[in-house]
Amino acid sequence: GTIAEKADARTGKSVPAVSGEELVKAVPGLAKVANIGVLNFMNIDSSQMTPGIWLKLSKKVNEIIKRPDIAGVVVTHGTDTMAEGAYFLELTVHSDKPVVFTGAMKDASDPCPDGPANILNAVIQASSKEALGWGVTVTLNNYVNGARDVRKTQTTNVQTFESGEKGYLGYVYDGKVRRFNDRIRKIKFPLPSKLPPVVFFSTYAGDRGDFIRYAVDKGAKGLVIDALGAGNVNAETCDAILYALSKNIPVVISTRVYYGSVVPAYGDHGGGGMLEKKGAILAGDLMGTKARLLLMLALAEVGNNPEKLKSYFE
Ligand code: ASP
């Protein structure tokens, strides 16, 4: 991501350019905080990230974090898909040691890049006892966010990651981690060898449900729909969801609203209560793009078992 990008001399636009060693070298005082080993896992813009790559990343992090000489792991990652990547690792890394995702909103050729300070704080957190038990976090601009609830909220500002009404887990400043909050972490999966295709859509006023039908006909093994409000869709989208359910495709209903849960409040055609009765799974307050990752891992673990799948979302 941007943390490891520089302006291309010809186009002036950011492109992947910086190695892990160079990132570490660019941070004054880092060597005093910890002994750092660098692994150049890959350097791509995170818009090109896939669950398959996160699977490989998770495998690597699981291997590394087991070592007794390792206090924690920092993953530098593009901010565009960081919230999803962190959640994927949250679900699949089996350790209480800190795994800290960080990145930057301004690239390495910016006159005032945010990457070096973010790396410094991430390393402070990764080697701090105060951070034990938080699991995977997204730590940028001093704030520590839990992987499950974090989202990117601003396209260009260094203060972009927030945890909404749940609040930050903590704050890293002046070489120390301050702990505000804990989060209960329950779900863990073994790493599967591959992930089933699960498709995510956001609905809207006037949605005709065509894309849902298309995904079903093209072999999707699960669907996640960002619904309106507390989990409602219009009648045509509802028909398309019923079509998916009739083909035995699990459908998870999340919400496109920023805060709050999907609840079975409405019983009319397309209401959350009706969808749940027909077999759709309500995602609670887990955002749709992350519900997709959870459904993929759950399908890989327990197969298409409605009751077991549902239990992961409760
Ligand atoms: N283009 C970037 C990415 O890879 C954005 C960023 O890292 O801030 O996600």
Side-chain angles (χ1 to χ4, degrees):
T2 295
I3 195 163
E5 292 179 6
K6 271 186 175 163
D8 178 79
R10 203 170 46 84
T11 64
K13 307 289 179 201
S14 295
V15 289
V18 182
S19 70
E21 288 80 2
E22 287 168 308
L23 282 178
V24 165
K25 240 195 244 149
V27 187
L30 194 62
K32 286 195 204 123
V33 178
N35 294 320
I36 298 175
V38 176
L39 171 75
N40 286 293
F41 175 75
M42 102 184 326
N43 192 354
I44 55 170
D45 192 89
S46 86
S47 52
Q48 308 307 311
M49 215 13 118
T50 64
I53 299 173
W54 287 324
L55 203 57
K56 289 190 191 132
L57 177 64
S58 182
K59 192 162 176 247
K60 252 299 160 237
V61 171
N62 271 299
E63 275 165 31
I64 291 169
I65 211 159
K66 265 197 220 117
R67 286 171 34 190
D69 59 328
I70 297 289
V73 174
V74 172
V75 179
T76 59
H77 194 293
T79 61
D80 286 352
T81 56
M82 188 186 294
E84 287 161 78
Y87 186 58
F88 190 90
L89 266 71
E90 167 67 29
L91 292 174
T92 55
V93 171
H94 299 258
S95 173
D96 259 357
K97 294 180 189 172
V99 176
V100 186
F101 273 60
T102 197
M105 294 298 285
K106 299 194 260 177
D107 75 17
S109 43
D110 191 278
C112 186
D114 52 331
N118 284 340
I119 290 181
L120 180 64
N121 284 337
V123 170
I124 288 166
Q125 184 189 331
S127 47
S128 160
K129 291 212 169 59
E130 204 56 32
L132 288 177
W134 264 340
V136 181
T137 71
V138 168
T139 303
L140 274 90
N141 205 32
N142 305 90
Y143 288 110
V144 182
N145 297 270
R148 185 189 182 280
D149 298 306
V150 66
R151 68 163 88 214
K152 188 174 182 180
T153 64
Q154 223 284 357
T155 54
T156 55
N157 198 296
V158 295
Q159 182 41 33
T160 188
F161 285 102
E162 291 180 10
S163 301
E165 55 193 9
K166 305 272 186 73
Y168 300 113
L169 296 181
Y171 193 74
V172 188
Y173 179 70
D174 201 18
K176 289 190 200 69
V177 177
R178 277 119 177 122
R179 201 175 176 102
F180 303 160
N181 224 328
D182 284 311
R183 202 109 327 140
I184 304 159
R185 299 181 305 121
K186 282 191 293 197
I187 313 174
K188 288 284 174 193
F189 292 96
L191 278 178
S193 53
K194 68 186 212 306
L195 292 159
V198 173
V199 177
F200 166 75
F201 296 109
S202 182
T203 195
Y204 45 86
D207 190 351
R208 292 173 26 188
D210 297 337
F211 290 126
I212 294 175
R213 290 175 192 277
Y214 181 81
V216 171
D217 294 342
K218 282 286 177 191
K221 295 285 179 262
L223 299 175
V224 178
I225 318 285
D226 247 3
L228 311 170
N232 312 307
V233 298
N234 69 14
E236 281 167 297
T237 309
C238 180
D239 289 341
I241 290 172
L242 296 180
Y243 174 68
L245 292 170
S246 76
K247 302 267 178 192
N248 246 341
I249 309 294
V251 178
V252 173
I253 307 293
S254 50
T255 176
R256 55 180 217 166
V257 178
Y258 219 64
Y259 302 146
S261 280
V262 174
V263 289
Y266 298 90
D268 52 335
H269 196 72
M274 177 263 181
L275 292 169
E276 188 182 43
K277 234 188 206 141
K278 295 287 182 188
I281 297 168
L282 307 188
D285 65 357
L286 184 63
M287 70 188 72
T289 49
K290 294 185 192 179
R292 170 178 175 256
L293 297 173
L294 179 56
L295 183 57
M296 282 173 139
L297 286 164
L299 278 167
E301 176 66 4
V302 299
N304 193 352
N305 177 326
E307 279 316 304
K308 285 194 178 156
L309 290 178
K310 194 174 167 196
S311 70
Y312 288 112
F313 289 86
E314 281 167 349

